[in-house]
Amino acid sequence: MTLDYKYTVNILLFLQILDLISKMEIKEETVPGAGESNSFDVHNDEESKPPKQSGPKKPWVPKNDELSEETKFLAALMSLLVVICNKMVDAHVFCYVTSVDAALVKKLKKIIEANNKNTADCLRIVKLACQVVIAIIHLKPSCIKDFNGNHFDAVLSTALKNMSDIDNCMLFAVQDCQITKPARTLSSLVKEAQGLLQNAQDVTVLSD
């Protein structure tokens, strides 16, 4: 009885998060400096001067971009969603969650497409979205048809292509910090998600 109650609470929390995400307006994140005119000629004289000595040179570290409050909230919701899917519910209960449907898939697609820019914070959002996709597929394989119906394989490929530079930079930055358990790269997440989608397509072909 206690187990059933716990799962019920977790599913209700999951549904509340899905409801919040579904109602959010996904806006395209702007990259600082994008669209500005080239200022090379204007500052050419200043750039030709010898650089000022300002102490020891610091190692380059990728900076976080300024995210809107809505996007920060979205990141928090997706992060919690991943935890619930991976640790707080199982497939036997999750299969009855009807909110995991084409509408949710379209929302995840829109999140990825709106944030597939070469910035650190956009990378965080897209990686979280990929983790949500993977977790949901593991819990409810029947939703794969909705992902494939929305050409999710191509969506993931485009995101990885656009963000490969920042993904590699963040990987090297993590290695430099000597973190024992580095976060997964976008490349590895996309590969896993596409593998799950492709496996479903292969099964469908064999069954026809």
Side-chain angles (χ1 to χ4, degrees):
M1 188 67 177
T2 304
L3 185 63
D4 292 340
Y5 174 76
K6 184 178 12 178
Y7 274 123
T8 300
V9 172
N10 293 340
I11 289 295
L12 288 175
L13 178 58
F14 177 87
L15 293 174
Q16 288 179 334
I17 295 173
L18 285 189
D19 184 59
L20 288 170
I21 292 177
S22 66
K23 293 177 180 178
M24 292 185 69
E25 182 180 357
I26 307 301
K27 298 179 180 179
E28 188 171 337
E29 287 296 326
T30 57
V31 179
E36 295 179 358
S37 60
N38 191 336
S39 58
F40 175 80
D41 294 334
V42 177
H43 299 288
N44 188 47
D45 292 339
E46 293 184 6
E47 292 180 354
S48 63
K49 296 179 182 179
K52 296 180 180 179
Q53 298 296 326
S54 56
K57 184 178 179 181
K58 298 181 179 179
W60 179 82
V61 177
K63 293 182 179 180
N64 287 336
D65 307 296
E66 290 298 325
L67 286 177
S68 65
E69 291 301 319
E70 292 82 1
T71 305
K72 291 178 182 178
F73 184 50
L74 174 63
L77 290 176
M78 289 196 297
S79 182
L80 183 55
L81 205 60
V82 171
V83 172
I84 293 174
C85 289
N86 289 339
K87 299 181 178 181
M88 300 171 68
V89 296
D90 61 26
H92 297 294
V93 178
F94 197 83
C95 64
Y96 297 104
V97 179
T98 58
S99 299
V100 179
D101 53 13
L104 174 62
V105 171
K106 289 179 181 178
K107 179 67 71 170
L108 290 170
K109 177 182 178 180
K110 190 171 184 179
I111 290 171
I112 293 175
E113 291 177 335
N115 289 277
N116 63 356
K117 295 176 178 59
N118 226 12
T119 69
D121 279 318
C122 283
L123 177 65
R124 179 188 174 210
I125 295 295
V126 174
K127 285 171 68 174
L128 281 170
C130 286
Q131 289 177 296
V132 171
V133 171
I134 293 168
I136 286 176
I137 290 176
H138 279 303
L139 287 172
K140 193 174 183 179
S142 61
C143 70
I144 290 178
K145 65 180 185 299
D146 293 319
F147 284 105
N148 287 332
N150 283 275
H151 310 289
F152 231 85
D153 186 276
V155 172
L156 294 172
S157 294
T158 300
L160 181 58
K161 180 180 178 181
N162 291 347
M163 308 179 78
S164 59
D165 289 343
I166 188 65
D167 193 37
N168 291 332
C169 287
M170 296 301 288
L171 174 62
F172 291 134
V174 167
Q175 290 175 342
D176 289 342
C177 292
Q178 297 181 344
I179 296 178
T180 55
K181 292 184 179 180
R184 292 185 62 182
T185 62
L186 177 62
S187 176
S188 68
L189 291 169
V190 167
K191 183 177 180 180
E192 181 177 354
Q194 289 180 325
L196 293 171
L197 297 174
Q198 186 59 48
N199 287 341
Q201 290 177 339
D202 292 342
V203 171
T204 301
V205 171
L206 290 174
S207 62
D208 290 341

